[in-house]
């Protein structure tokens, strides 16, 4: 593949530009930069020395990539997206090392988005146009706003929960091993009572229980998988969204009924977010707390499944 350099572009000596990459008019690439194959570097893009760009990356017009930026394969950077690399910039004063900003494989950054220094944008994540990103973005998350907050997850099916299900009913998910359960609920003039019977409802004997509450609405919890531990989640007050992912299929459940729970087996990635201010999430676990049982990075989770 032949590299295509527009006659009005400038690529300094020492820069590495892979085959099939096109550099358009008025783009300027400094000598220390490393650009992969089959990229599209559009008009008026500036790329500093300590920048590494993977293959098949698109960088639209008006983008500046400063020292420390790392773009992995198949990343899309929208027009006029802004990268930063110094939390406390001063004229003629330079840090010993600029903070690295990493955009993982397949992620997209929308037009006019701003990324603070030192952040990681997870694989296949989407940053909305005009968002101001102040913290790391998880893999496949969709963020928007100022400051950017998670509004959803890429390629995730929204799963409706019936308000009038039959007690004891079990509904399977597209995600391997995940099941939605409606626990037995007794209603009369005195109120309501929901009961969990271990042997008839759960496929495991709980060894641990805990509550999650007083979580700000914008916060995300979970973001991990377990190697051997089963969990059963009930939102006994308020509401919370639960995303489950087996590496191939992803579904999102909105729990807002205290008699509806979700069984999450081991080897399934889980995220809880969109907590209401009054949410109380009750969790039963098949094992005691063991840090070694957690997989906390999505790429490591996929490696674990493949292994």
């Amino acid at each position: 593949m032949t590299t295509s350099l527009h006659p009005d572009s400038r690529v300094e000596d020492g820069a590495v530009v892979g085959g099939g990459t096109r550099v358009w008019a008025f783009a300027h690439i400094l000598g220390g930069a490393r650009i992969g194959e089959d990229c599209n570097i559009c008009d008026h893009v500036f790329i500093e020395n300590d920048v590494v760009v993977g293959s098949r990356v698109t960088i639209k017009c008006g983008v500046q990539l400063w020292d420390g930026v790392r773009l992995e394969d198949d990343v899309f950077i929208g027009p006029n997206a802004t990268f930063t690399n110094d939390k406390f910039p001063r004229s003629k004063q330079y840090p010993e090392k600029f903070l690295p900003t990493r955009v993982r494989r397949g992620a997209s950054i929308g037009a006019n988005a701003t990324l603070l220094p030192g952040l990681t944008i997870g694989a296949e994540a989407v940053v909305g146009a005009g968002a101001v990103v102040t913290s790391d973005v998880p893999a496949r998350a969709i963020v928007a706003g100022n400051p950017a907050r998670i509004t959803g997850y890429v390629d995730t099916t929204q799963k409706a929960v019936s308000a009038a299900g039959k007690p004891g009913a079990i509904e399977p998910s597209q995600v391997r091993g995940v099941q939605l359960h409606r626990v037995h609920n007794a209603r009369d003039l005195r109120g309501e009572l929901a009961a969990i019977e271990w042997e008839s409802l759960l496929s495991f004997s709980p060894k641990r229980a805990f509550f999650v509450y007083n979580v700000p609405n914008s916060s995300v919890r979970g973001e991990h998988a377990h190697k051997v531990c089963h969990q059963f989640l009930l939102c006994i007050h308020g509401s919370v969204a639960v995303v489950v992912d087996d590496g191939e299929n992803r579904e999102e459940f909105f729990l807002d009924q205290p008699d509806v729970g979700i069984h999450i087996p081991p080897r399934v990635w889980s995220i809880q977010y969109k907590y209401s201010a009054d949410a109380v999430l009750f969790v039963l676990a098949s094992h005691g707390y063991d840090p070694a049982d957690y997989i906390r990075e999505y790429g490591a989770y996929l490696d674990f499944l493949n292994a």
Side-chain angles (χ1 to χ4, degrees):
M1 294 184 291
T2 303
T3 300
S4 175
L5 304 180
H6 192 281
D8 290 328
S9 67
R10 182 174 182 180
V11 178
E12 303 279 4
D13 291 342
V16 175
V17 180
T21 290
R22 294 175 294 175
V23 181
W24 293 93
F26 312 112
H28 187 181
I29 302 175
L30 298 190
R34 300 291 182 266
I35 314 295
E37 297 180 346
D38 200 24
C39 295
N40 194 25
I41 313 298
C42 294
D43 290 19
H44 296 282
V45 169
F46 175 72
I47 300 179
E48 220 168 12
N49 285 290
D50 184 22
V51 173
V52 178
V53 175
S55 295
R56 300 174 302 282
V57 172
T58 295
I59 305 172
K60 301 300 285 186
C61 301
V63 174
Q64 298 87 42
L65 302 181
W66 309 112
D67 286 340
V69 172
R70 303 288 186 266
L71 308 181
E72 295 186 0
D73 295 346
D74 303 300
V75 163
F76 174 86
I77 307 297
N80 299 304
T82 299
F83 290 81
T84 58
N85 63 1
D86 189 347
K87 287 186 176 181
F88 304 101
R90 292 287 188 269
S91 180
K92 303 297 183 181
Q93 299 179 31
Y94 307 104
E96 291 184 8
K97 187 175 183 180
F98 290 104
L99 293 171
T101 298
R102 295 180 173 85
V103 183
R104 300 295 192 189
R105 174 188 51 81
S108 293
I109 311 298
N112 295 301
T114 299
L115 278 64
L116 268 60
L119 302 183
T120 296
I121 310 301
E124 299 182 34
V126 176
V127 175
V132 178
V133 183
T134 60
S135 59
D136 291 346
V137 176
R140 291 177 173 161
I142 302 169
V143 301
N146 180 9
R149 293 288 183 260
I150 295 175
T151 61
Y153 285 83
V154 173
D155 297 330
T156 299
T157 303
Q158 304 288 326
K159 187 76 171 181
V161 178
S162 170
K166 181 180 178 182
I170 298 176
E171 184 177 348
S173 165
Q174 295 178 6
V175 177
R176 181 186 59 252
V178 173
Q179 293 179 326
L180 198 69
H181 294 253
R182 187 171 292 275
V183 305
H184 290 279
N185 190 345
R187 297 180 175 91
D188 60 26
L189 294 176
R190 298 168 296 174
E192 300 185 39
L193 183 151
I196 301 175
E197 297 181 357
W198 309 141
E199 293 184 358
S200 61
L201 176 66
L202 302 179
S203 61
F204 61 89
S205 297
K207 298 293 191 297
R208 179 171 175 251
F210 59 91
F211 298 88
V212 180
Y213 59 99
N214 285 344
V215 177
N217 184 39
S218 61
S219 294
V220 176
R221 296 187 63 91
E223 290 190 303
H224 61 251
H226 288 282
K227 298 175 183 177
V228 298
C229 183
H230 293 254
Q231 290 191 325
F232 186 77
L233 281 61
L234 280 164
C235 188
I236 58 178
H237 196 267
S239 61
V240 62
V242 179
V243 176
V244 286
D245 179 342
D246 61 11
E248 296 180 0
N249 303 299
R250 283 169 295 284
E251 282 194 319
E252 179 175 320
F253 297 86
F254 189 68
L255 301 182
D256 61 351
Q257 304 166 50
D259 60 344
V260 175
I262 182 171
H263 172 216
I264 303 176
R267 302 172 62 88
V268 170
W269 186 264
S270 176
I271 300 163
Q272 300 94 52
Y273 76 122
K274 295 181 182 176
Y275 282 85
S276 65
D278 59 346
V280 180
L281 183 66
F282 176 50
V283 182
L284 295 170
S286 64
H287 293 68
Y289 176 70
D290 179 6
D293 188 52
Y294 285 76
I295 307 171
R296 299 187 181 274
E297 201 276 322
Y298 190 77
Y301 166 68
L302 295 179
D303 292 341
F304 173 77
L305 294 181
N306 292 331

